[in-house]
Amino acid sequence: MSYKTQMEAAKKGIITEEMKVVAKKEQFSEEKLRDLVAYGRIAIPANSNHKSLSPEGIGEGLRTKINVNLGVSGDCIDHTQEMQKVKMAIDLGAEAIMDLSNYGKTNTFRQQLISYSKAMIGTVPMYDAIGYLEKDLAKISATDFLKVIEAHAKQGVDFMTIHAGINKKAVESFKRTNRLTNIVSRGGSLIFAWMEMTGNENPFYEYYDDILVILRQYDVTISLGDALRPGSINDSTDAGQISELIELGSLTKRAWERDVQVMVEGPGHMAMNEIAANMALQKRLCYGAPFYVLGPIVTDIAPGYDHITSAIGSAIAASHGADFLCYVTPAEHLRLPDLGDVKEGIIASKIAAHAADIAKGIPNAREWDNKMSDARRRIDWEEMFSLAIDGKKAREYFESTPPSDDESCSMCGKMCAMRTTNKVLKGEKVEFL
């Protein structure tokens, strides 16, 4: 029985090779996984032309996944460094990488990325359109935009952010809201500018069915971009954000009708007390489709530390239903991240994802923590380093100020609570001098 997409196969009752890989990774029933793919509750982004891919599932009942953004800009054109970031991201266990390059002819780097990466690859074709087509924004036609989408799909991109929800109706809601930070989505601002300069409807909305035909051909998952996501906690959960979200729900169903897998993107900045309600609202309005969030960043006053503000929001969001986290680095709002920033962002995001998986009751999520706790009780440093999410850093900290003996660290010395309790329980005398 033939099929074009994972969703089409699932609807036909077929368990694909990709589903088998995901089920094994997740210790999940193949049949249940297939059914949730058929219903749209789980997506397995897997372009038929991405031959190096190790498939991952995103959605209900699965581990929370993370995405790493990278790519060149006009001020930082170094594809070699970007490939170093790719290798680091994969080594640290990131499940997805988005190439957000927005300068020059990016297709050569993207092809190298797709050939090398076992992680899912995502793009935002809108970013690439100006450089790819070598045209001013207002002179790009709807047909031109579709050409860029098809070029990315042919190369092997597994998922694409398409800002299709910011139609004229959503723009009117945005204009009435009088936001503090207006539009902070790069792709969203470009679409808004194109619409205002040409007077036309959003081409990704107007020609949505044509886009779905392209995506279905290569089994590209559509990630419905939130062009009107809040860029400050002042603007969260406003009319612009919610009006676009309603449109994204309608677009989700239309994609599923064409057997195209869907993820829905979510808010950027948001106070902690609004996050749980927003997760529930998105799941309700978008029929349980996997939810992909950037942050949410929970306070606006910490440039240089937004990997922390984001990790706080990500952990809350994922524990209340978000399925996919876009990492944020310390360089957010400031500059293109370097290798150190990328590492800090990945680790912060992985901590948030794992903490949420424990809260969600994902099978075996706690086992990792229990093994670490047991190693701490036994004061087995080598085992602790092997279990640490960043064992290299843990070792460096421990060895930077070595203890007098290996039954403690330099903070407590012989007064280590573990050491004291272990000795007492073994009937040994506790001595400090």
Side-chain angles (χ1 to χ4, degrees):
M1 195 180 295
S2 63
Y3 59 88
K4 280 289 187 183
T5 72
Q6 296 292 319
M7 175 170 266
E8 182 186 5
K11 288 178 180 178
K12 291 179 175 180
I14 300 169
I15 297 174
T16 66
E17 290 302 314
E18 291 81 5
M19 292 177 200
K20 291 177 182 177
V21 172
V22 171
K24 185 175 181 180
K25 286 182 178 181
E26 302 279 349
Q27 300 180 41
F28 206 82
S29 160
E30 291 181 359
E31 290 75 18
K32 184 177 180 181
L33 180 70
R34 175 200 60 203
D35 292 346
L36 289 170
V37 171
Y39 298 142
R41 301 294 183 92
I42 288 176
I44 303 177
N47 188 313
S48 53
N49 287 338
H50 188 178
K51 306 303 183 184
S52 61
L53 177 69
S54 178
E56 297 284 354
I58 300 169
E60 188 176 307
L62 305 182
R63 288 181 300 104
T64 307
K65 308 304 187 301
I66 73 163
N67 171 70
V68 170
N69 288 343
L70 44 80
V72 300
S73 70
D75 293 313
C76 294
I77 311 166
D78 187 346
H79 287 104
T80 300
Q81 185 179 64
E82 295 311 295
M83 189 54 73
Q84 289 177 330
K85 294 176 187 177
V86 169
K87 293 175 180 176
M88 175 190 289
I90 291 172
D91 288 344
L92 289 174
E95 291 89 4
I97 294 168
M98 289 197 79
D99 176 17
L100 305 188
S101 296
N102 60 18
Y103 181 83
K105 296 295 185 180
T106 62
N107 59 312
T108 301
F109 171 70
R110 189 162 50 252
Q111 192 61 66
Q112 291 174 344
L113 174 61
I114 293 166
S115 298
Y116 173 81
S117 177
K118 67 177 183 179
M120 298 175 283
I121 300 301
T123 58
V124 186
M126 184 69 202
Y127 294 175
D128 198 28
I130 296 171
Y132 180 89
L133 298 165
E134 296 182 332
K135 290 183 179 181
D136 287 332
L137 181 61
K139 295 180 179 179
I140 298 175
S141 68
T143 302
D144 288 332
F145 285 125
L146 266 63
K147 286 179 182 177
V148 179
I149 291 173
E150 186 164 18
H152 284 214
K154 283 182 177 179
Q155 277 194 301
V157 170
D158 301 297
F159 65 98
M160 293 185 202
T161 293
I162 306 291
H163 297 90
I166 180 172
N167 56 17
K168 286 186 174 182
K169 185 166 65 174
V171 166
E172 288 305 312
S173 293
F174 155 69
K175 288 180 175 179
R176 289 194 300 268
T177 304
N178 192 28
R179 281 183 163 186
L180 184 62
T181 48
N182 292 319
I183 296 175
V184 299
S185 160
R186 189 195 309 171
S189 68
L190 292 171
I191 286 292
F192 172 72
W194 187 90
M195 293 169 67
E196 292 293 298
M197 288 189 292
T198 65
N200 296 327
E201 180 59 277
N202 176 356
F204 298 133
Y205 178 78
E206 186 174 5
Y207 296 94
Y208 188 65
D209 289 335
D210 298 305
I211 293 169
L212 295 179
V213 170
I214 296 170
L215 302 185
R216 185 181 187 279
Q217 177 67 26
Y218 302 94
D219 197 4
V220 178
T221 298
I222 189 168
S223 189
L224 290 168
D226 51 339
L228 296 178
R229 68 173 181 264
S232 63
I233 60 172
N234 181 78
D235 296 340
S236 61
T237 324
D238 67 359
Q241 178 195 332
I242 301 306
S243 64
E244 182 183 32
L245 185 59
I246 292 168
E247 295 294 344
L248 297 185
S250 173
L251 295 171
T252 296
K253 292 192 80 173
R254 286 171 61 185
W256 286 345
E257 289 167 1
R258 298 292 188 94
D259 299 328
V260 174
Q261 299 182 100
V262 177
M263 299 186 293
V264 180
E265 299 185 14
H269 292 236
M270 182 168 287
M272 289 193 296
N273 60 305
E274 295 182 41
I275 294 173
N278 267 263
M279 299 305 105
L281 186 63
Q282 184 277 337
K283 288 287 186 176
R284 179 65 178 260
L285 292 177
C286 297
Y287 310 99
F291 199 19
Y292 176 23
V293 297
L294 190 151
I297 289 174
V298 296
T299 178
D300 300 326
I301 62 167
Y305 297 91
D306 277 325
H307 59 311
I308 297 173
T309 63
S310 172
I312 293 168
S314 294
I316 297 170
S319 68
H320 286 90
D323 308 288
F324 193 25
L325 307 179
C326 186
Y327 91 149
V328 171
T329 78
E332 185 78 7
H333 302 113
L334 300 171
R335 62 172 168 83
L336 195 74
D338 63 18
L339 283 165
D341 298 325
V342 169
K343 181 178 180 181
E344 290 294 313
I346 292 171
I347 296 298
S349 189
K350 284 180 69 67
I351 292 169
H354 180 66
D357 287 348
I358 294 170
K360 287 192 286 191
I362 297 298
N364 304 312
R366 283 179 178 265
E367 285 189 8
W368 187 1
D369 298 74
N370 291 343
K371 289 177 180 177
M372 174 65 85
S373 298
D374 183 59
R376 282 181 172 149
R377 176 182 58 80
R378 292 181 283 105
I379 317 180
D380 187 329
W381 294 108
E382 289 304 318
E383 188 171 343
M384 283 185 253
F385 299 148
S386 71
L387 289 166
I389 200 165
D390 184 357
K392 183 175 182 291
K393 184 174 185 178
R395 183 185 294 277
E396 288 173 352
Y397 269 57
F398 176 76
E399 294 179 349
S400 65
T401 311
S404 56
D405 64 67
D406 60 5
E407 288 189 324
S408 64
C409 71
S410 58
M411 181 174 184
C412 297
K414 288 185 178 181
M415 289 188 182
C416 171
M418 295 293 190
R419 177 182 183 273
T420 298
T421 307
N422 289 345
K423 285 185 174 293
V424 170
L425 290 175
K426 289 190 290 187
E428 298 177 6
K429 189 177 180 179
V430 179
E431 296 178 322
F432 299 109
L433 300 179

